C-alpha cells in the first residue's frame, strides 16, 4: 500500500481542502535520506499549466518529516482534467487561491532541494506565479525524477504506471497523493539501490 493510502485512506471529493500530517521515517519509504528534500507534485484543472488546482508535498528531514496536500480554487473555470485527476469545480470551490497556498509551502521550496516526476510540475508553478504576478520560488536544486528513472530502468520512455510496476507500488493514475507517493518511492530506490545516480544531487545537501 502506498504512503498516502496508509496515512489518509480513501476520501471523497467533498472533504478535500487541506490535509497534512506529521510523518515518521518508520512510515516513510526513505529511512536513511542523506539530508533534506522536498518532493512536489501538482494537479491542473486543464492543459494550461497555470490552472493549478492542487499541490502535493512530502518534506523529508531527519527531525521534521511530513506530508501535505492543498487543494486550490483556480482562476480557470475549465476543468477538462477532472476525469483524470478526480478534481472537480465543486471539489475546490471553497478552497484558497494559489497565492495563499504557495505562501504556505514556500518555506519548503525556497533555498531547498526539490524534486518532482517531470519539469511539468515546476513549470506549472512558475506559470501560475506569472498569472498572479507574484515572484516564483527559488529552490536550491531541482531534480527531475523522470530523467533519473530513465537511467534506473534503462527504458527510453514510459509512464508512471510502468515505474509503479517496476517498484511494485500502488499507483492511481492522475491522483496527486498517489503521484507524490510514487515520487518518494523513486527517491528511496535511488538512495537504497542506486546511490551513484543520486550522489551528484546530494553531495551538497547535508
Amino acid at each position: 500500500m502506498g504512503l498516502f493510502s496508509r496515512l489518509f485512506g480513501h476520501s471523497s471529493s467533498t472533504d478535500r481542502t487541506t490535509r497534512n500530517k506529521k510523518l515518521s521515517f518508520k512510515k516513510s519509504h526513505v529511512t536513511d535520506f542523506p539530508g533534506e528534500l522536498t518532493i512536489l507534485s501538482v494537479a491542473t484543472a486543464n492543459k494550461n499549466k497555470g490552472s493549478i488546482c492542487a499541490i502535493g508535498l512530502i518534506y523529508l528531514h531527519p527531525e521534521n518529516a511530513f506530508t501535505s496536500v492543498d487543494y486550490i480554487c483556480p482562476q480557470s473555470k475549465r476543468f477538462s482534467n477532472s476525469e483524470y485527476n478526480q478534481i472537480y469545480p465543486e471539489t475546490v470551490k471553497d478552497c484558497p487561491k494559489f497565492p495563499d497556498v504557495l505562501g504556505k509551502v514556500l518555506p519548503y521550496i525556497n533555498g531547498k532541494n526539490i524534486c518532482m516526476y517531470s519539469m511539468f510540475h515546476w513549470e506549472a508553478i512558475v506559470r501560475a506565479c506569472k498569472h498572479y504576478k507574484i515572484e516564483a520560488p527559488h529552490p536550491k536544486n531541482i531534480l527531475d525524477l523522470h530523467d533519473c528513472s530513465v537511467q534506473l530502468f534503462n527504458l527510453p520512455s514510459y509512464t508512471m504506471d510502468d515505474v509503479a510496476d517496476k517498484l511494485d507500488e500502488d499507483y492511481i493514475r492522475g491522483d496527486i497523493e498517489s503521484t507524490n507517493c510514487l515520487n518518494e518511492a523513486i527517491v528511496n530506490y535511488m538512495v537504497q539501490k542506486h546511490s551513484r545516480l543520486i550522489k551528484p544531487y546530494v553531495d551538497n545537501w547535508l
Side-chain angles (χ1 to χ4, degrees):
M1 180 179 290
L3 170 65
F4 279 102
S5 298
R6 294 198 301 271
L7 290 180
F8 299 122
H10 175 73
S11 66
S12 66
S13 62
T14 56
D15 66 1
R16 290 178 171 177
T17 53
T18 298
R19 287 179 284 173
N20 55 71
K21 184 170 183 176
K22 296 288 289 185
L23 174 67
S24 73
F25 281 117
K26 291 181 180 179
K27 294 182 179 179
S28 170
H29 288 99
V30 180
T31 57
D32 189 26
F33 188 76
E36 180 181 32
L37 179 66
T38 297
I39 303 173
L40 286 174
S41 62
V42 306
T44 57
N46 53 60
K47 292 183 178 180
N48 186 325
K49 292 177 181 176
S51 64
I52 294 179
C53 54
I55 295 179
L57 180 149
I58 296 179
Y59 178 65
L60 298 174
H61 188 281
E63 299 178 356
N64 181 28
F66 68 89
T67 69
S68 71
V69 176
D70 289 275
Y71 292 88
I72 297 168
C73 182
Q75 287 288 96
S76 177
K77 303 302 180 185
R78 294 188 301 107
F79 279 73
S80 55
N81 286 345
S82 292
E83 291 301 318
Y84 176 71
N85 58 33
Q86 299 300 302
I87 300 176
Y88 298 87
E90 59 272 20
T91 307
V92 296
K93 65 179 181 179
D94 297 322
C95 293
K97 300 293 186 181
F98 172 79
D100 297 318
V101 173
L102 181 66
K104 175 184 174 182
V105 302
L106 211 52
Y108 305 99
I109 301 178
N110 273 345
K112 306 296 185 183
N113 304 293
I114 69 171
C115 67
M116 66 283 299
Y117 186 71
S118 78
M119 289 304 292
F120 171 88
H121 298 268
W122 179 247
E123 292 165 1
I125 291 176
V126 172
R127 180 75 64 86
C129 287
K130 288 181 178 179
H131 176 80
Y132 284 97
K133 299 180 180 179
I134 57 179
E135 186 177 4
H138 299 283
K140 181 180 179 181
N141 297 296
I142 300 178
L143 174 62
D144 187 333
L145 292 179
H146 181 274
D147 291 345
C148 292
S149 297
V150 167
Q151 299 179 64
L152 283 174
F153 304 116
N154 195 29
L155 296 172
S157 104
Y158 49 86
T159 67
M160 293 192 79
D161 297 274
D162 297 321
V163 177
D165 288 342
K166 290 285 186 180
L167 297 178
D168 194 26
E169 290 286 332
D170 294 334
Y171 175 64
I172 302 172
R173 186 180 303 172
D175 183 87
I176 189 168
E177 298 175 358
S178 187
T179 297
N180 243 19
C181 180
L182 184 55
N183 287 340
E184 194 238 2
I186 295 170
V187 170
N188 178 65
Y189 189 79
M190 288 192 293
V191 170
Q192 301 295 331
K193 305 293 185 182
H194 292 269
S195 59
R196 66 179 177 79
L197 290 178
I198 202 170
K199 187 177 186 301
Y201 301 97
V202 300
D203 278 343
N204 299 314
W205 287 14
L206 300 178

